[in-house]
Structure formats: structure tokens, C-alpha cells
Amino acid sequence: MDDSNQAALSRSTVLVTGAAGYIGSHAVTELLRQGCRVVAVDNYSNSSSEVYARIERLAGASFVRAEVDVRDDAALDKLLSQHRVDACIHFAALKSVSESMAQPLRYLDNNVGGLLTLLRVLRKHGVQGFVFSSSATVYGDPVRVPVPEVASLNAVSVYGATKLMGEKILQQLTAITPEFERPWRVVVLRYFNPVGAHPSGQIGEAPRGVPNNLMPCVAQVAAGLRPKLNIFGDTYPTPDGTCVRDYIHIQDLVAGHVAALRHLLGDGASLTLNLGTGLGTSVRQLVETFMQVNGVAVPYEVVAPRAGDVAQCFADPSLAHQVLGWRAHHDLADMCRDAWRWQCSRPRSHA
């Protein structure tokens, strides 16, 4: 780690959008732990402001928080007029593959429209260091795995398409700098399947209603909050017929974001990087590991495949290690153990 880059990080103020969400809450906790000042923004559409008190207890530091939708340019403008920030990490987005196929206009409005509004306001206030939360869904159904950053891009879901559109918008900004303007510097992080929770058990994934992601579904079934887990398809061309993904511990994921921010604050160049373990794990393997590690039962039923799901997708994360010195350290057992610890800290709640 470059000491000057770390010093720049600890002196910085970071705008975090989607700060009360699963990834955002863990990122805010780590940024505060690194000595950053944080301005947290969320509209609480799939989160709760209650997480902020737990973040402050974990980090031992307070931060600015605002209930703002990233599509609200007036509210964003007012916030940044009151709080000068050095960079932005943009998490705020709708993120369900299946839901995006049923509600495409809502996803385009929120994910693409919100990004454009945010960028306009950031530019007005001279903030042009930007970490973008992208997704492995931009690769679509990859021709080969592990997937490198140079693989062809062909999103097969509306959600993936919104992330790909976001990447293309940011590519244009970094390629064209009007005279007398500071150039945009952007790190696009294509991450795979975040799971797990903070090892304290104080914060974790807390979706409203029926979860769209696998791990919280598994944990809620194990806790008796739901009768069974649905596994969507078991005839994919994979070793056990279920989908194969690259599950990455949330703590490793946020460490990648902090490394990306440190890179930008040290005047590093714009980058696009994968964040993943480089290992493919099937849905059935994850469920069996969860049961074994935690000593619980997770009844499941195989049902029809979902629209937009691909058979297998896992990362080649070598470029992130080469450029940022980052790599994932937690294994699948850690992910399952921490997810269950989080679930057990809130056993009566689905949300």
C-alpha cells in the first residue's frame, strides 16, 4: 500500500449513494474505519436508516446522512453545496435480474437516469473521482470462464443492460474532457455475487419482502422464516445442473472499493476491474456448505429456471490484484458462517 495514497484517503470526504443498503452500509463502515469522512445518501427504497446507528457503533465515528433520491438533482445540489466531497462511490441502484425483466422502465429510470443526474451534480461541484458499482451481468452468458475484463459484453437482462449503459456513459466521460475542465477519473468495478455479512453480526443483507438473492433466502429458510428454498433449475450444463456463480464475501468486496478509491485519490488512471474470488460455486454447493458449516437444515425444491439467469459466470480477478494489490481472502465457509450469524441476530425479521 502506498503511504501517500493512504494519507490522501484518510483526509478525504466521500459521498456514498445507496449508503444504507447491503453493500453501502459495509462500505461506509470501512471508510470510517479508514479515517474518511462520509456523506451518506439513500432513499430507503430497499433499506432502512436504522442501520446507521449500528454503523456508528461499529466504526466509532459519526457521519453525515441524507434521505435523497439520486434522481433528485435539486436535493443533491443542495447537499453538495453544504458538504464538500472529494469523490463518490455510487451504489444506489435497483438490482434484481428477475424484477428488471418485469419492470424494465423502472430499472432504466432509476439505474440510468439516477446515474446521469448524479454525474451532472457532481460535475457542477467539481467532484470527478468516481467509483461505479457495476456487475458481472454485463458479460451476459460468457463464452468461457473464468471471465476476464476484456471478454465480450452482452447483457441478457434489463438489470445487466442498465449497468452496461452506465459503463458506456462513464467511458465517454473519461474519453472526452472539455477544455479547462478537470478530467473524470473513474474506476468501474464489475463484481460478481456478494454474500455474507460483517463478522460482528451487526450489519448484513436485509432486503425488504422476499429476497432476490440466494444467501438471504437460504438463511431465512434455515431460521424457519420461510418453508423452503426454491432452486431455479437443475438442468444447466454445470457439474450438478444448478447455476454456478462466483460468491464473494462482502468484506472482501468493500476492501476492493476502498482500494479503488485509494487509487483514484492517488491520481491513478481510470480502470475497469473484476472483483471476485475466481472460483465457481454452484447453488447446490452453497446450500450444502451452509448446512454443514452452521449445523442447520435448509429444505429446498427445484423449480423452473428464471428468465435472465445464465448457466455459469465466475471471475478472472487477476487484474485487480495486479493494479490495486487486492484479492479476496474469505472462503465459502466464512461467507456462510457470517451470513448465519447476521440472521441469528435478527431472527424474527424478514426485512
mmCIF file of all heavy atoms in Angstrom, residues 71-96:
data_model
loop_
_atom_site.group_PDB
_atom_site.id
_atom_site.type_symbol
_atom_site.label_atom_id
_atom_site.label_comp_id
_atom_site.label_asym_id
_atom_site.label_seq_id
_atom_site.Cartn_x
_atom_site.Cartn_y
_atom_site.Cartn_z
ATOM 1 N N ARG A 71 -32.077 10.620 -8.272
ATOM 2 C CA ARG A 71 -32.706 11.268 -9.427
ATOM 3 C C ARG A 71 -33.151 12.696 -9.107
ATOM 4 O O ARG A 71 -33.602 13.411 -10.011
ATOM 5 C CB ARG A 71 -33.908 10.447 -9.892
ATOM 6 C CG ARG A 71 -33.540 9.078 -10.451
ATOM 7 C CD ARG A 71 -34.761 8.191 -10.612
ATOM 8 N NE ARG A 71 -35.331 7.857 -9.299
ATOM 9 C CZ ARG A 71 -36.392 7.087 -9.131
ATOM 10 N NH1 ARG A 71 -37.006 6.584 -10.193
ATOM 11 N NH2 ARG A 71 -36.848 6.826 -7.925
ATOM 12 N N ASP A 72 -33.007 13.120 -7.877
ATOM 13 C CA ASP A 72 -33.453 14.441 -7.426
ATOM 14 C C ASP A 72 -32.281 15.406 -7.482
ATOM 15 O O ASP A 72 -31.523 15.552 -6.518
ATOM 16 C CB ASP A 72 -34.009 14.332 -6.008
ATOM 17 C CG ASP A 72 -34.662 15.618 -5.521
ATOM 18 O OD1 ASP A 72 -34.386 16.684 -6.096
ATOM 19 O OD2 ASP A 72 -35.445 15.548 -4.551
ATOM 20 N N ASP A 73 -32.116 16.094 -8.623
ATOM 21 C CA ASP A 73 -30.943 16.945 -8.790
ATOM 22 C C ASP A 73 -30.929 18.118 -7.816
ATOM 23 O O ASP A 73 -29.871 18.518 -7.323
ATOM 24 C CB ASP A 73 -30.806 17.429 -10.235
ATOM 25 C CG ASP A 73 -32.049 18.132 -10.762
ATOM 26 O OD1 ASP A 73 -33.069 18.184 -10.050
ATOM 27 O OD2 ASP A 73 -31.986 18.626 -11.894
ATOM 28 N N ALA A 74 -32.090 18.677 -7.491
ATOM 29 C CA ALA A 74 -32.135 19.810 -6.568
ATOM 30 C C ALA A 74 -31.663 19.406 -5.178
ATOM 31 O O ALA A 74 -30.897 20.135 -4.527
ATOM 32 C CB ALA A 74 -33.554 20.383 -6.506
ATOM 33 N N ALA A 75 -32.110 18.238 -4.706
ATOM 34 C CA ALA A 75 -31.696 17.768 -3.381
ATOM 35 C C ALA A 75 -30.206 17.437 -3.352
ATOM 36 O O ALA A 75 -29.509 17.751 -2.376
ATOM 37 C CB ALA A 75 -32.525 16.554 -2.983
ATOM 38 N N LEU A 76 -29.705 16.816 -4.404
ATOM 39 C CA LEU A 76 -28.272 16.518 -4.477
ATOM 40 C C LEU A 76 -27.450 17.799 -4.516
ATOM 41 O O LEU A 76 -26.411 17.925 -3.843
ATOM 42 C CB LEU A 76 -27.969 15.676 -5.717
ATOM 43 C CG LEU A 76 -28.329 14.199 -5.677
ATOM 44 C CD1 LEU A 76 -28.151 13.578 -7.054
ATOM 45 C CD2 LEU A 76 -27.476 13.451 -4.654
ATOM 46 N N ASP A 77 -27.910 18.767 -5.309
ATOM 47 C CA ASP A 77 -27.209 20.043 -5.420
ATOM 48 C C ASP A 77 -27.135 20.739 -4.065
ATOM 49 O O ASP A 77 -26.088 21.255 -3.662
ATOM 50 C CB ASP A 77 -27.926 20.925 -6.446
ATOM 51 C CG ASP A 77 -27.190 22.223 -6.716
ATOM 52 O OD1 ASP A 77 -25.950 22.208 -6.728
ATOM 53 O OD2 ASP A 77 -27.861 23.252 -6.909
ATOM 54 N N LYS A 78 -28.241 20.752 -3.336
ATOM 55 C CA LYS A 78 -28.266 21.381 -2.016
ATOM 56 C C LYS A 78 -27.308 20.675 -1.065
ATOM 57 O O LYS A 78 -26.559 21.327 -0.312
ATOM 58 C CB LYS A 78 -29.693 21.337 -1.455
ATOM 59 C CG LYS A 78 -29.826 21.968 -0.079
ATOM 60 C CD LYS A 78 -31.270 21.908 0.406
ATOM 61 C CE LYS A 78 -31.406 22.517 1.800
ATOM 62 N NZ LYS A 78 -32.809 22.430 2.292
ATOM 63 N N LEU A 79 -27.306 19.339 -1.091
ATOM 64 C CA LEU A 79 -26.435 18.573 -0.205
ATOM 65 C C LEU A 79 -24.961 18.872 -0.472
ATOM 66 O O LEU A 79 -24.175 19.094 0.464
ATOM 67 C CB LEU A 79 -26.713 17.083 -0.384
ATOM 68 C CG LEU A 79 -25.920 16.129 0.514
ATOM 69 C CD1 LEU A 79 -26.331 16.298 1.969
ATOM 70 C CD2 LEU A 79 -26.112 14.693 0.059
ATOM 71 N N LEU A 80 -24.572 18.903 -1.759
ATOM 72 C CA LEU A 80 -23.175 19.131 -2.090
ATOM 73 C C LEU A 80 -22.782 20.592 -1.946
ATOM 74 O O LEU A 80 -21.591 20.914 -1.897
ATOM 75 C CB LEU A 80 -22.873 18.624 -3.501
ATOM 76 C CG LEU A 80 -22.961 17.100 -3.669
ATOM 77 C CD1 LEU A 80 -22.471 16.672 -5.040
ATOM 78 C CD2 LEU A 80 -22.172 16.374 -2.590
ATOM 79 N N SER A 81 -23.758 21.482 -1.884
ATOM 80 C CA SER A 81 -23.464 22.872 -1.551
ATOM 81 C C SER A 81 -23.126 23.009 -0.068
ATOM 82 O O SER A 81 -22.371 23.906 0.328
ATOM 83 C CB SER A 81 -24.671 23.771 -1.884
ATOM 84 O OG SER A 81 -24.920 23.768 -3.270
ATOM 85 N N GLN A 82 -23.677 22.107 0.726
ATOM 86 C CA GLN A 82 -23.450 22.150 2.174
ATOM 87 C C GLN A 82 -22.234 21.339 2.611
ATOM 88 O O GLN A 82 -21.627 21.631 3.645
ATOM 89 C CB GLN A 82 -24.692 21.615 2.896
ATOM 90 C CG GLN A 82 -25.938 22.457 2.692
ATOM 91 C CD GLN A 82 -27.198 21.775 3.198
ATOM 92 O OE1 GLN A 82 -27.236 20.547 3.320
ATOM 93 N NE2 GLN A 82 -28.223 22.562 3.501
ATOM 94 N N HIS A 83 -21.882 20.303 1.813
ATOM 95 C CA HIS A 83 -20.794 19.405 2.192
ATOM 96 C C HIS A 83 -19.880 19.180 0.993
ATOM 97 O O HIS A 83 -20.284 18.547 0.014
ATOM 98 C CB HIS A 83 -21.349 18.067 2.685
ATOM 99 C CG HIS A 83 -22.295 18.190 3.830
ATOM 100 N ND1 HIS A 83 -21.873 18.386 5.126
ATOM 101 C CD2 HIS A 83 -23.661 18.171 3.872
ATOM 102 C CE1 HIS A 83 -22.927 18.471 5.922
ATOM 103 N NE2 HIS A 83 -24.021 18.346 5.188
ATOM 104 N N ARG A 84 -18.672 19.683 1.078
ATOM 105 C CA ARG A 84 -17.710 19.464 0.002
ATOM 106 C C ARG A 84 -17.199 18.026 0.061
ATOM 107 O O ARG A 84 -16.801 17.532 1.123
ATOM 108 C CB ARG A 84 -16.532 20.426 0.156
ATOM 109 C CG ARG A 84 -15.455 20.245 -0.895
ATOM 110 C CD ARG A 84 -14.215 21.067 -0.592
ATOM 111 N NE ARG A 84 -13.133 20.672 -1.463
ATOM 112 C CZ ARG A 84 -12.321 19.641 -1.237
ATOM 113 N NH1 ARG A 84 -12.498 18.894 -0.156
ATOM 114 N NH2 ARG A 84 -11.358 19.345 -2.082
ATOM 115 N N VAL A 85 -17.238 17.343 -1.083
ATOM 116 C CA VAL A 85 -16.745 15.966 -1.129
ATOM 117 C C VAL A 85 -15.633 15.850 -2.173
ATOM 118 O O VAL A 85 -15.553 16.637 -3.118
ATOM 119 C CB VAL A 85 -17.875 14.954 -1.427
ATOM 120 C CG1 VAL A 85 -18.969 15.059 -0.376
ATOM 121 C CG2 VAL A 85 -18.433 15.126 -2.808
ATOM 122 N N ASP A 86 -14.772 14.853 -1.967
ATOM 123 C CA ASP A 86 -13.619 14.651 -2.844
ATOM 124 C C ASP A 86 -13.854 13.576 -3.892
ATOM 125 O O ASP A 86 -13.196 13.571 -4.937
ATOM 126 C CB ASP A 86 -12.399 14.265 -1.999
ATOM 127 C CG ASP A 86 -12.060 15.323 -0.970
ATOM 128 O OD1 ASP A 86 -11.692 16.433 -1.380
ATOM 129 O OD2 ASP A 86 -12.193 15.046 0.238
ATOM 130 N N ALA A 87 -14.755 12.658 -3.603
ATOM 131 C CA ALA A 87 -15.010 11.542 -4.521
ATOM 132 C C ALA A 87 -16.359 10.938 -4.177
ATOM 133 O O ALA A 87 -16.950 11.242 -3.134
ATOM 134 C CB ALA A 87 -13.908 10.484 -4.404
ATOM 135 N N CYS A 88 -16.837 10.079 -5.073
ATOM 136 C CA CYS A 88 -18.146 9.443 -4.885
ATOM 137 C C CYS A 88 -18.032 7.953 -5.169
ATOM 138 O O CYS A 88 -17.382 7.539 -6.141
ATOM 139 C CB CYS A 88 -19.159 10.075 -5.835
ATOM 140 S SG CYS A 88 -20.803 9.293 -5.808
ATOM 141 N N ILE A 89 -18.663 7.149 -4.319
ATOM 142 C CA ILE A 89 -18.879 5.728 -4.602
ATOM 143 C C ILE A 89 -20.377 5.553 -4.815
ATOM 144 O O ILE A 89 -21.171 5.853 -3.926
ATOM 145 C CB ILE A 89 -18.395 4.820 -3.463
ATOM 146 C CG1 ILE A 89 -16.928 5.071 -3.149
ATOM 147 C CG2 ILE A 89 -18.611 3.354 -3.843
ATOM 148 C CD1 ILE A 89 -16.376 4.190 -2.030
ATOM 149 N N HIS A 90 -20.745 5.079 -5.995
ATOM 150 C CA HIS A 90 -22.160 5.035 -6.390
ATOM 151 C C HIS A 90 -22.689 3.609 -6.341
ATOM 152 O O HIS A 90 -22.437 2.794 -7.227
ATOM 153 C CB HIS A 90 -22.303 5.604 -7.801
ATOM 154 C CG HIS A 90 -23.708 5.629 -8.305
ATOM 155 N ND1 HIS A 90 -24.787 5.993 -7.535
ATOM 156 C CD2 HIS A 90 -24.222 5.318 -9.539
ATOM 157 C CE1 HIS A 90 -25.893 5.926 -8.251
ATOM 158 N NE2 HIS A 90 -25.576 5.502 -9.463
ATOM 159 N N PHE A 91 -23.447 3.302 -5.264
ATOM 160 C CA PHE A 91 -24.091 2.007 -5.108
ATOM 161 C C PHE A 91 -25.575 2.045 -5.456
ATOM 162 O O PHE A 91 -26.165 0.998 -5.717
ATOM 163 C CB PHE A 91 -23.982 1.523 -3.655
ATOM 164 C CG PHE A 91 -22.593 1.230 -3.177
ATOM 165 C CD1 PHE A 91 -22.011 2.012 -2.192
ATOM 166 C CD2 PHE A 91 -21.869 0.168 -3.686
ATOM 167 C CE1 PHE A 91 -20.742 1.738 -1.717
ATOM 168 C CE2 PHE A 91 -20.594 -0.120 -3.236
ATOM 169 C CZ PHE A 91 -20.029 0.672 -2.239
ATOM 170 N N ALA A 92 -26.198 3.211 -5.388
ATOM 171 C CA ALA A 92 -27.662 3.304 -5.443
ATOM 172 C C ALA A 92 -28.204 2.790 -6.776
ATOM 173 O O ALA A 92 -27.998 3.414 -7.820
ATOM 174 C CB ALA A 92 -28.099 4.752 -5.226
ATOM 175 N N ALA A 93 -28.894 1.658 -6.731
ATOM 176 C CA ALA A 93 -29.485 1.082 -7.940
ATOM 177 C C ALA A 93 -30.444 -0.023 -7.544
ATOM 178 O O ALA A 93 -30.282 -0.653 -6.497
ATOM 179 C CB ALA A 93 -28.402 0.513 -8.859
ATOM 180 N N LEU A 94 -31.436 -0.252 -8.396
ATOM 181 C CA LEU A 94 -32.256 -1.454 -8.284
ATOM 182 C C LEU A 94 -31.442 -2.616 -8.835
ATOM 183 O O LEU A 94 -30.717 -2.455 -9.824
ATOM 184 C CB LEU A 94 -33.557 -1.276 -9.060
ATOM 185 C CG LEU A 94 -34.447 -0.109 -8.610
ATOM 186 C CD1 LEU A 94 -35.612 0.076 -9.573
ATOM 187 C CD2 LEU A 94 -34.952 -0.327 -7.193
ATOM 188 N N LYS A 95 -31.588 -3.820 -8.264
ATOM 189 C CA LYS A 95 -30.587 -4.846 -8.571
ATOM 190 C C LYS A 95 -31.113 -6.253 -8.828
ATOM 191 O O LYS A 95 -30.326 -7.196 -8.902
ATOM 192 C CB LYS A 95 -29.560 -4.906 -7.444
ATOM 193 C CG LYS A 95 -30.157 -5.308 -6.094
ATOM 194 C CD LYS A 95 -29.081 -5.426 -5.020
ATOM 195 C CE LYS A 95 -29.660 -5.938 -3.719
ATOM 196 N NZ LYS A 95 -28.636 -6.121 -2.692
ATOM 197 N N SER A 96 -32.399 -6.442 -8.986
ATOM 198 C CA SER A 96 -32.926 -7.788 -9.201
ATOM 199 C C SER A 96 -33.017 -8.110 -10.692
ATOM 200 O O SER A 96 -33.675 -7.391 -11.450
ATOM 201 C CB SER A 96 -34.314 -7.921 -8.571
ATOM 202 O OG SER A 96 -34.951 -9.095 -9.017
#
